[in-house]
Amino acid sequence: MRAGAGPTAADPGASADGVGPAGSLTAEAEAAKLLPFLAPGARADLQEEAVRHVLALTGSGPGRTLLAGQAALLRALVEFAAAPAPAPARDAARALVNLAADPGLHQPLLAAEPGLPARLLGRALDPQWPWAEEAAAVLANLSREPAPCASLMEALTAAEPGESGLERLVRALCTPGYNARAPLHYLGPVLSNLSQRPSARAFLLDPDRCVVQRLLPLTQYPDSTVRRGGVVGTLRNCCFEHRHHEWLLGPEVDILPFLLLPLAGPEDFSEEEMEQLPVDLQYLPPDKQREPDADIRKMLIEAIMLLTATAHGRQQVRDQGAYLILRELHSWEPESDVRVACEKLIQVLIGDEPEHGMENLLEVQVPEDVEQQLQQLDRQEQEQYQREQQEQELSPESQAEGLHPPEALAAHHQLQTHLY
């Protein structure tokens, strides 16, 4: 999950340049010629071939830019993506995945079809829809930006009476086999993006709904980095709400062991140290593996860091032996940016308590000059990390390791940290 782009759909028919050697004028004329074959009354085989051609165009930046100016064609894609067989719904949805991966195309997509989030949401949550995963992937890409995320939140709020839209989404994400033909892993990033919004966090943190408790086991979901990362991103965003920290850390939720366990390895602690750890982290098997994805490990650390914002939270995290897990993680961690995040959390745990009136670190007013210095340090750390990544990429070993088979949906998704 190191890439910042959203999921994309690959197609073997996509050309290298997307629009062909004849140039943009020919490509625009070609796109216009496709419209009759995308009409509702066109032959099914011609519709399928036309949609495959559009999918090929979405495989490159120039092709996506070309399609951004074709409102009628975009509307036709949306219609096909939500249409039952024999319509080419899967390829249409895959084309929308690629288009929505480019934030610059969100406005043209929503302008062509304002109801796009609501329509795709209905398909993503339909337990009988075979291409629900593709619909969820489009929503995961769209919801990275504030405007489409707000539209999706409105669609969830305006869901059918009775069960709320967010409750349906959580149920689909947490229920094994909810859709026998679609794994719905991308509902994880969708929920993570939604959790940037205060109203979504209020729903997730409602003690009467037990939503967080249902999400916690998915921090170790073995079959999908996408789902696992989406859930961890959701929990991390919920930890921004310091008013709920006591509830999150208390026995009703007991979130900390679920955040620490993926960071733990097979270390053999002394009996004295073992007694400091929660029961679920004691005597782990010798083949215990840490979370393999560096981005997820960093989000887990960030979530724990947020839980240390208050004096009560810091004491709770200390009392449950978090330092022991983080100490061993720091010795093992291969990624410099994750190691730096781990160091900062360790410093909070072993450092002196803030002076009176500054106990809540999320409410401390940082002087402008100090904030600028901290930002400069962050930039330097990021530059150092980028230099190390470039050195690794230039080495023969990393070049060999960088070859991966093509996938229909790349397991990369940007989980944003900004709240609005």
Side-chain angles (χ1 to χ4, degrees):
M1 291 182 65
R2 276 287 168 189
T8 57
D11 180 76
S15 63
D17 59 4
V19 297
S24 61
L25 291 177
T26 302
E28 288 182 13
E30 189 176 340
K33 289 180 181 178
L34 289 173
L35 276 176
F37 303 108
L38 297 172
R43 278 170 29 197
D45 59 331
L46 296 178
Q47 288 179 340
E48 183 175 355
E49 189 61 32
V51 170
R52 281 187 58 81
H53 191 79
V54 173
L55 175 58
L57 285 173
T58 66
S60 74
R64 291 190 293 272
T65 301
L66 164 68
L67 293 172
Q70 304 291 325
L73 194 149
L74 295 176
R75 282 194 294 273
L77 270 185
V78 175
E79 291 296 332
F80 281 124
R90 186 186 188 192
D91 281 347
R94 285 155 61 91
L96 289 175
V97 170
N98 286 350
L99 291 169
D102 185 343
L105 300 184
H106 290 180
Q107 193 278 329
L109 277 170
L110 291 176
E113 178 49 77
L116 176 62
R119 298 188 68 176
L120 291 176
L121 178 67
R123 286 309 191 192
L125 299 183
D126 181 349
Q128 304 301 322
W129 186 244
W131 318 126
E133 181 75 314
E134 284 80 2
V138 182
L139 292 174
N141 278 340
L142 279 175
S143 58
R144 289 183 294 144
E145 299 298 317
C149 189
S151 298
L152 178 57
M153 195 67 195
E154 290 175 7
L156 286 162
T157 305
E160 301 171 4
E163 188 178 43
S164 73
L166 268 174
E167 175 58 39
R168 287 182 61 206
L169 193 156
V170 170
R171 180 161 56 85
L173 178 64
C174 297
T175 303
Y178 176 88
N179 185 326
R181 293 184 283 181
L184 300 180
H185 298 318
Y186 279 100
L187 288 182
V190 171
L191 187 61
S192 178
N193 293 339
L194 288 168
S195 68
Q196 298 172 89
R197 303 190 64 81
S199 57
R201 294 196 300 277
F203 170 88
L204 295 167
L205 292 166
D206 183 345
D208 295 330
R209 297 182 185 275
C210 294
V211 176
V212 172
Q213 292 92 323
R214 284 183 278 164
L215 294 175
L216 289 176
L218 297 179
T219 57
Q220 297 224 89
Y221 186 80
D223 297 333
S224 171
T225 301
V226 172
R227 182 183 296 235
R228 211 165 57 245
V231 167
V232 171
T234 301
L235 295 173
R236 187 270 311 272
N237 285 347
C238 286
C239 289
F240 275 97
E241 300 288 349
H242 62 84
R243 293 168 298 174
H244 294 272
H245 283 183
E246 189 169 350
W247 174 71
L248 288 169
L249 289 165
E252 195 172 345
V253 178
D254 198 19
I255 191 174
L256 190 59
F258 290 92
L259 300 178
L260 286 173
L261 187 56
L263 300 175
E267 292 80 22
D268 187 16
F269 295 107
S270 68
E271 288 294 325
E272 182 180 353
E273 290 178 326
M274 200 71 76
E275 290 177 0
Q276 299 178 43
L277 296 170
V279 173
D280 290 341
L281 278 83
Q282 295 180 5
Y283 303 104
L284 297 177
D287 60 349
K288 169 68 172 68
Q289 299 292 313
R290 288 184 173 87
E291 165 58 53
D293 187 275
D295 285 335
I296 297 179
R297 292 198 301 274
K298 188 175 182 182
M299 286 192 292
L300 288 163
I301 294 170
E302 290 170 347
I304 300 171
M305 175 69 91
L306 288 165
L307 291 171
T308 65
T310 63
H312 178 268
R314 288 188 291 277
Q315 194 58 50
Q316 283 275 83
V317 175
R318 290 189 188 108
D319 290 347
Q320 296 195 54
Y323 167 74
L324 299 173
I325 302 297
L326 295 168
R327 180 189 69 191
E328 301 302 320
L329 171 67
H330 184 267
S331 300
W332 169 90
E333 180 56 58
E335 297 288 346
S336 61
D337 60 328
V338 183
R339 197 162 54 246
V340 168
C342 187
E343 289 171 4
K344 291 178 179 178
L345 177 53
I346 289 174
Q347 287 297 324
V348 170
L349 295 178
I350 67 175
D352 297 332
E353 275 294 297
E355 62 186 67
H356 179 69
M358 303 182 69
E359 295 89 346
N360 190 327
L361 303 181
L362 288 177
E363 294 182 340
V364 172
Q365 295 296 319
V366 180
E368 186 175 349
D369 59 331
V370 176
E371 184 174 0
Q372 290 175 354
Q373 293 174 15
L374 293 173
Q375 290 174 350
Q376 177 66 22
L377 287 172
D378 284 342
R379 284 193 293 269
Q380 291 173 357
E381 290 173 0
Q382 185 63 26
E383 290 169 1
Q384 176 66 21
Y385 168 70
Q386 290 173 349
R387 283 195 296 270
E388 292 178 3
Q389 289 294 105
Q390 290 171 355
E391 290 171 3
Q392 291 177 9
E393 289 171 0
L394 291 174
S395 68
E397 294 84 358
S398 65
Q399 289 177 7
E401 293 171 357
L403 299 175
H404 301 289
E407 298 176 335
L409 290 175
H412 300 300
H413 187 78
Q414 178 180 2
L415 300 175
Q416 298 185 9
T417 60
H418 305 296
L419 301 176
Y420 52 85

